[in-house]
């Protein structure tokens, strides 16, 4: 939907209110009630126009921190909130090693470095998710149907209407406290599909400092890339 100078992606779903998001790539999306008319939606967007442009300005400022990484000696890469430098070695082996504070890749396989990093993050994230999920799903009394680590484009994680949880492999770059927040956030969505007051109240019960973790993602999310 074109609104002024903005191209807004509209998703209709079972909800009562309109929620507008500035995605991590700077695009704008909105989740809206299934029955809302074009005229009603336009009126809502007009009432939120100032906030949308304010959020876009904030996105532009935060993304000034985006890092263009090259797969060369000394380049830093995030893992669990800490930077590790890349070291290319003459030793021949497949994949990536994390040893003595360095990510190590064989020079002969340098062209496959990005794939190796993604595989590394996926594997490590699956390991880290298990105990976190077990802890918080017990506290909330919920049970996700399925849990996947995958490419999610512009979202850190998602919860489907069937209770399936999906996590972006880039979540492995975040500190454990932030990862705890991401997991808890999606588990609470099994109870509350939308970001209602009840949603935030339940999240606050298990992650009392979630504002701090959310702020970390806002400030550092642009740098969580390959």
């Amino acid at each position: 939907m074109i609104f002024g100078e903005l191209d807004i992606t509209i998703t209709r779903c079972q909800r009562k209110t309109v929620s507008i998001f500035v995605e991590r790539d700077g695009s704008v999306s909105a989740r809206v009630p299934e029955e809302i008319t074009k005229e009603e939606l336009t009126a809502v967007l007009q009432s939120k126009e100032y906030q949308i442009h304010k959020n876009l300005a904030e996105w532009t400022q935060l993304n000034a921190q985006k890092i263009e990484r090259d797969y060369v000696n000394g380049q830093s890469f995030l893992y669990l909130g800490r930077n590790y430098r890349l070291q290319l070695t003459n030793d021949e082996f497949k994949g990536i090693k994390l040893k003595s504070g360095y990510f190590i890749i064989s020079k002969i396989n340098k062209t496959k470095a990005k794939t190796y990093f993604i595989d590394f993050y996926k594997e490590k994230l699956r390991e880290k998710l298990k105990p976190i999920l077990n802890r918080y799903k017990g506290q909330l009394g919920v049970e996700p149907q399925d849990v996947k680590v995958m490419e999610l484009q512009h979202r850190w994680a998602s919860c489907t209407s069937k209770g399936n949880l999906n996590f972006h492999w880039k979540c492995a770059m975040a500190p454990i406290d932030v990862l705890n927040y991401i997991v808890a956030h999606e588990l609470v969505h099994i109870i509350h599909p939308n970001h209602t007051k009840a949603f935030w109240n339940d999240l606050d019960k298990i992650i009392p400092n979630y504002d701090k973790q959310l702020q970390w993602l806002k400030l550092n999310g642009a740098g969580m890339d390959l």
Side-chain angles (χ1 to χ4, degrees):
M1 175 182 180
I2 303 299
F3 175 72
E5 298 179 352
L6 299 176
D7 185 359
I8 303 178
T9 301
I10 306 298
T11 301
R12 295 179 178 269
C13 50
Q14 293 182 349
R15 59 183 299 128
K16 295 181 179 180
T17 60
V18 173
S19 292
I20 302 172
F21 306 90
V22 176
E23 305 290 359
R24 288 195 293 117
D25 66 344
S27 63
V28 180
S29 65
R31 297 179 188 176
V32 307
E34 291 180 338
E35 67 279 4
I36 195 170
T37 66
K38 183 177 180 180
E39 291 74 19
E40 290 171 335
L41 178 55
T42 298
V44 173
L45 293 176
Q46 286 175 341
S47 69
K48 295 178 179 289
E49 187 173 7
Y50 171 78
Q51 189 63 45
I52 295 172
H53 285 285
K54 180 180 178 182
N55 291 344
L56 280 169
E58 181 183 72
W59 178 89
T60 300
Q61 182 180 8
L62 293 175
N63 273 266
Q65 302 176 27
K66 188 170 183 179
I67 300 171
E68 294 294 335
R69 289 184 168 87
D70 295 318
Y71 300 96
V72 296
N73 280 318
Q75 178 66 70
S76 64
F77 291 85
L78 275 170
Y79 174 53
L80 297 180
R82 178 182 170 186
N83 277 300
Y84 295 86
R85 297 197 177 279
L86 179 63
Q87 185 178 93
L88 299 174
T89 177
N90 291 321
D91 298 339
E92 295 186 16
F93 61 89
K94 294 182 179 180
I96 188 169
K97 298 178 181 178
L98 180 56
K99 184 178 180 182
S100 301
Y102 288 89
F103 279 119
I104 303 174
I105 294 177
S106 175
K107 288 181 179 178
I108 197 172
N109 291 319
K110 180 183 175 182
T111 56
K112 301 176 182 177
K114 184 172 182 177
T115 298
Y116 287 162
F117 268 104
I118 292 174
D119 290 344
F120 173 87
Y121 287 132
K122 284 182 176 180
E123 178 186 355
K124 295 301 181 182
L125 184 57
R126 291 188 186 99
E127 294 175 2
K128 299 298 179 183
L129 286 175
K130 291 178 182 178
I132 301 174
L133 283 164
N134 288 336
R135 179 166 70 253
Y136 291 125
K137 73 181 185 181
Q139 292 183 33
L140 291 165
V142 297
E143 185 65 48
Q145 294 300 307
D146 193 18
V147 178
K148 293 181 180 178
V149 174
M150 58 197 298
E151 172 68 54
L152 279 179
Q153 296 185 331
H154 315 311
R155 299 189 183 279
W156 299 118
S158 66
C159 175
T160 72
S161 59
K162 295 182 180 179
N164 298 324
L165 303 186
N166 302 313
F167 295 92
H168 200 306
W169 52 264
K170 291 181 182 180
C171 289
M173 300 182 187
I176 284 293
D177 286 349
V178 175
L179 185 55
N180 285 340
Y181 159 76
I182 294 172
V183 173
H185 185 117
E186 299 310 322
L187 285 171
V188 175
H189 271 315
I190 296 177
I191 305 171
H192 306 288
N194 302 318
H195 292 121
T196 60
K197 184 177 180 180
F199 169 89
W200 295 111
N201 285 342
D202 280 356
L203 180 59
D204 185 65
K205 291 175 184 176
I206 57 174
I207 307 286
N209 62 339
Y210 73 82
D211 281 344
K212 180 180 178 182
Q213 313 312 331
L214 186 56
Q215 186 65 14
W216 190 96
L217 279 173
K218 287 183 177 180
L219 293 174
N220 298 279
M224 294 168 64
D225 207 350
L226 292 176

